[in-house]
C-alpha cells in the first residue's frame, strides 16, 4: 500500500514506540488479558497542526481506507484480541505482537486455539456492532482528555498486577506495600504527563 509521503509520516518497525511495544514484557498483559493491540502501520498527518492523537490514521490493506486512530480509543481501546477490523470493509488490519505474548501463546496453545476456532467469528460480528456505536459517537479530543485520570489508572493497574499477588502470598510487609503504592502512583503520574506531552503535542 502506497502513501503520500509528503503528507504522511509512516510509523512502522523499527520505530522506537513500536519496538517498545514488542520488547516490554509488561505489555503482554495488555495484549492477552485486555485485548489492547497496536497496528503494524500508523500514518501521522504532517500537514495538520492538530495534536498528535488527532492526526493518527490506521490504513486498511484491503480497502485502502485511512481510519482515524481515535476509533480505537476510550471505550474501544480494549477487546481486540484477534487484531483490528476495518470499520469500512470489515477486513483485517495487521497488528504487532509483543514477544512475551508470543511465548505465552506458544506455551498455552492447547487452551486458546479452541477460543480462536469457535469464538473468532462471533468476535468479528461483535467488532462490527461496536464500531457502529463508536462511529456514531464523538471522537475524543486531546484538550478534553483527562491525562491525570489516565496516569492514576495506569499506576493503580500496574500496582494490582505487580504488587497485589506478592502481598496475597505474604511476601511483602505493610511498609513495603506502602512504598510500592507510592512508587506506582508516582510512575502513573509520570506516565500521564508523558502521554499529555506526547499525544497532545502538535509537532
Amino acid at each position: 500500500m502506497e502513501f503520500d509521503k509528503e503528507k504522511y509520516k509512516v510509523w512502522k518497525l523499527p520505530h522506537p514506540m513500536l519496538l517498545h511495544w514488542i520488547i516490554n514484557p509488561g505489555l503482554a498483559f495488555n495484549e492477552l488479558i485486555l485485548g489492547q493491540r497496536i497496528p503494524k502501520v500508523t500514518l501521522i498527518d504532517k500537514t495538520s497542526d492538530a495534536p498528535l492523537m488527532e492526526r493518527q490514521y490506521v490504513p486498511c490493506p484491503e480497502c485502502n481506507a485511512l481510519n482515524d486512530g481515535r476509533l480505537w480509543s476510550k471505550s474501544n481501546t480494549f477487546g481486540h484480541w484477534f487484531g483490528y477490523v476495518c470499520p469500512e470493509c470489515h477486513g483485517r488490519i495487521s497488528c504487532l505482537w509483543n514477544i512475551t505474548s508470543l511465548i505465552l501463546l506458544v506455551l498455552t496453545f492447547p487452551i486458546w486455539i479452541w477460543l480462536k476456532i469457535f469464538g473468532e467469528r462471533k468476535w468479528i460480528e461483535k467488532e462490527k456492532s461496536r464500531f457502529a456505536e463508536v462511529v456514531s459517537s464523538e471522537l475524543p479530543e486531546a484538550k478534553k482528555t483527562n491525562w491525570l485520570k489516565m496516569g492514576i489508572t495506569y499506576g493503580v493497574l500496574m500496582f494490582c498486577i505487580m504488587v497485589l499477588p506478592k502481598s496475597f502470598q505474604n511476601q511483602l510487609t505493610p511498609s513495603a506495600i506502602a512504598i510500592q503504592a507510592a512508587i506506582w502512583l508516582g510512575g502513573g503520574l509520570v506516565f500521564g504527563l508523558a502521554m499529555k506531552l506526547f499525544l497532545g503535542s502538535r509537532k
Side-chain angles (χ1 to χ4, degrees), residues 132-200:
E133 299 176 3
V134 173
V135 172
S136 62
S137 61
E138 183 180 358
L139 293 176
E141 298 179 13
K143 63 181 180 181
K144 295 182 180 180
T145 300
N146 191 330
W147 304 106
L148 177 62
K149 180 180 178 181
M150 177 188 292
I152 293 176
T153 300
Y154 174 81
V156 170
L157 179 62
M158 293 306 297
F159 173 81
C160 293
I161 297 172
M162 305 300 293
V163 180
L164 287 186
K166 294 182 180 179
S167 66
F168 291 149
Q169 297 174 7
N170 297 320
Q171 296 180 9
L172 297 174
T173 63
S175 59
I177 294 175
I179 293 173
Q180 288 291 323
I183 291 174
W184 284 113
L185 177 60
L189 294 176
V190 171
F191 173 80
L193 177 61
M195 289 297 98
K196 179 179 181 179
L197 295 176
F198 181 68
L199 294 179

Side-chain angles (χ1 to χ4, degrees), residues 37 79-84 92-93 97 115-116 119-120 123:
R37 304 297 301 278
H80 308 290
W81 293 281
F82 297 106
Y84 280 3
R92 305 298 288 271
I93 298 176
W97 274 111
L115 296 175
K116 178 177 176 61
E120 187 172 9
W123 170 82

Side-chain angles (χ1 to χ4, degrees), residues 22-103:
I22 290 177
I23 297 173
N24 187 344
L27 292 174
F29 177 87
N30 295 54
E31 283 190 341
L32 300 180
I33 304 301
L34 302 180
Q36 182 181 13
R37 304 297 301 278
I38 297 294
K40 288 185 177 180
V41 178
T42 299
L43 303 182
I44 310 298
D45 188 348
K46 298 188 294 183
T47 65
S48 173
D49 290 329
L52 178 60
M53 69 174 290
E54 297 176 19
R55 50 192 174 93
Q56 297 186 46
Y57 296 90
V58 179
C60 173
E62 297 192 23
C63 70
N64 296 328
L66 297 182
N67 302 291
D68 195 312
R70 292 174 294 171
L71 291 172
W72 291 275
S73 63
K74 296 187 71 175
S75 61
N76 199 35
T77 299
F78 306 118
H80 308 290
W81 293 281
F82 297 106
Y84 280 3
V85 173
C86 176
E88 296 291 335
C89 70
H90 301 146
R92 305 298 288 271
I93 298 176
S94 298
C95 292
L96 297 172
W97 274 111
N98 178 273
I99 293 176
T100 303
S101 294
L102 291 177
I103 294 174

